[in-house]
Amino acid sequence: MYRLARPFLFGFDAERAHGLGLASLETAYRTGMTPLLARKPTPFPTRAFGLTFPNPVGLAAGLDKNGAHIDALLALGFGFVEVGTVTPKAQPGNPGPRIFRLPEQRAIINRLGFNNEGVEALVANVARARRKLGLLGINIGKNKDTPNELAVSDYLYCLERVYPLADYVTVNISSPNTAGLRELQEEQALRRLVGALREAQERLGSKHGKRVPMLVKVAPDLSEDDISAAARVLADLQVDGVIATNTTVMRPGLQSHPLARETGGLSGAPLLEKSTAVLRMLRTRLPDEIPLIGVGGILSGADAVQKMAAGATLVQCYTGLIYRGPGLIGECNAAIRRRKEMPSRGNLPIVQ
């Protein structure tokens, strides 16, 4: 069915199509029509961060920034859905146009800039969701007008409000679309921020009687030295997991494309190699007890398997969903299951 809907959606401006797509998913869910969009994947329980995920394929943050469509998205077959990025106060994001499709490259450039209705609105939406079909991650960030030296207060504010409702929380310090945000990945800034959040996480765990895992999402554009430094900090502070990666400001293979000069983060197929290389480096630098979520450039089951072979325990997609539709979820699940069921080939990773 998505093959029929895609030309219609691609006939609109990308941001309008985004809204129409979410509205259509919501309508399908409420009218019992979701099975026409996606075949429910075979359950494939996967353990990570002390949680059991119904299957290892999730939705990356950014599609449902305000947590308004959680049940509709879980009904597509995702094992988990990550909503946000959410900030303390509502903000409009960057001026439009701010999403650009590159269909021949199966890619998207966006410079949305954490547009969202604020954490209180997200909390209200999450509280209304049934969430019976999968787990929920909530991705938190800082407001655009909050200077980096005060960023910890924004992250703490969001963490305290989403903690009781989240299955896990992701700290987003890697979006390229909020000026200066990626500077928080620098070793000392990262240690201060994540250290404060880890203390709050333990305090909130005692207060609420449950421990909610906290993950950190990193950029694909870090140097090898920066990756090593970040891994050192995250291991020292014993974060629960790492998501690799966010979008890239680089334009691999797109230098001659007319949209290559548009500012913003590039996602989709051109990001696959770069994001997977960072994932692989992190896996060799982090202790085994810190699981990784692989995201960036997954447009097929083989791409998902490539992430698993590089060290991911779970995977997420977003741009692939735009180009391939909900069928991608089941395809990725099936490919990962086949890999898991294959006999070992010595100590070599199995790659399809």
Side-chain angles (χ1 to χ4, degrees):
M1 189 171 179
Y2 185 73
R3 285 195 297 270
L4 300 175
R6 189 182 122 166
F8 171 76
L9 291 171
F10 275 42
F12 292 96
D13 163 84
E15 191 161 356
R16 187 178 179 195
H18 181 122
L20 286 171
L22 283 174
S24 299
L25 284 178
E26 190 68 30
T27 298
Y29 171 69
R30 293 183 182 277
T31 58
M33 303 290 282
T34 302
L36 295 177
L37 298 174
R39 188 176 300 168
K40 191 174 180 179
T42 303
F44 185 17
T46 303
R47 289 283 295 174
F49 326 121
L51 303 171
T52 299
F53 294 78
N55 68 66
V57 180
L59 175 67
L63 187 70
D64 186 6
K65 290 179 180 291
N66 299 304
H69 305 283
I70 294 166
D71 292 324
L73 290 164
L74 285 172
L76 293 176
F78 286 113
F80 60 109
V81 164
E82 188 170 317
V83 298
T85 298
V86 67
T87 55
K89 299 178 293 185
Q91 61 181 28
N94 295 320
R98 52 191 185 176
I99 308 179
F100 306 89
R101 299 189 199 94
L102 293 76
E104 299 84 0
Q105 289 75 23
R106 297 183 300 166
I108 290 174
I109 295 171
N110 95 83
R111 50 171 179 263
L112 288 165
F114 288 176
N115 56 310
N116 74 104
E117 296 172 1
V119 70
E120 304 302 342
L122 179 137
V123 164
N125 287 335
V126 173
R128 285 192 292 267
R130 298 175 64 195
R131 297 166 53 186
K132 293 183 179 296
L133 300 175
L135 301 187
L136 177 69
I138 302 180
N139 186 301
I140 61 174
K142 78 174 188 72
N143 280 114
K144 181 179 181 179
D145 59 1
T146 301
N148 278 0
E149 57 268 24
L150 300 178
V152 66
S153 63
D154 276 16
Y155 285 97
L156 286 171
Y157 186 92
C158 289
L159 179 64
E160 288 171 357
R161 278 149 185 80
V162 306
Y163 189 96
L165 294 168
D167 291 309
Y168 71 86
V169 177
T170 297
V171 179
N172 188 351
I173 50 173
S174 52
S175 170
N177 299 320
T178 295
L181 184 74
R182 288 187 169 193
E183 294 170 9
L184 296 173
Q185 294 175 113
E186 185 273 328
E187 185 171 5
Q188 294 308 314
L190 182 65
R191 190 174 293 277
R192 285 192 296 272
L193 174 64
V194 176
L197 291 171
R198 282 284 292 113
E199 290 178 7
Q201 179 191 18
E202 297 303 325
R203 173 175 52 80
L204 289 165
S206 297
K207 176 182 177 181
H208 294 285
K210 67 170 186 173
R211 190 179 189 282
V212 176
M214 187 175 72
L215 285 59
V216 176
K217 188 169 186 176
V218 301
D221 304 318
L222 298 172
S223 69
E224 189 166 348
D225 286 345
D226 288 337
I227 292 169
S228 296
R232 198 160 49 241
V233 171
L234 298 175
D236 288 348
L237 295 174
Q238 298 180 314
V239 300
D240 296 289
V242 179
I243 301 180
T245 66
N246 214 311
T247 58
T248 179
V249 297
M250 304 300 179
R251 298 292 183 259
L254 301 178
Q255 289 79 4
S256 61
H257 195 283
L259 293 176
R261 293 186 180 181
E262 294 289 350
T263 59
L266 173 71
S267 61
L271 178 58
L272 178 65
E273 183 177 344
K274 190 176 186 66
S275 63
T276 306
V278 172
L279 171 69
R280 189 177 294 109
M281 283 189 277
L282 284 168
R283 184 67 285 159
T284 64
R285 290 160 173 78
L286 287 169
D288 291 343
E289 57 266 25
I290 298 182
L292 297 170
I293 299 180
V295 56
I298 296 177
L299 281 102
S300 69
D303 295 337
V305 167
Q306 186 174 335
K307 297 289 188 187
M308 303 299 277
T313 300
L314 306 166
V315 297
Q316 290 177 323
C317 57
Y318 177 168
T319 300
L321 190 69
I322 305 302
Y323 283 101
R324 293 286 317 282
L328 177 64
I329 305 164
E331 181 181 321
C332 290
N333 267 295
I336 294 169
R337 176 184 287 275
R338 287 195 299 270
R339 177 181 185 269
K340 292 287 187 182
E341 292 175 349
M342 281 183 179
S344 174
R345 299 176 183 173
N347 293 320
L348 295 176
I350 301 169
V351 183
Q352 291 185 347

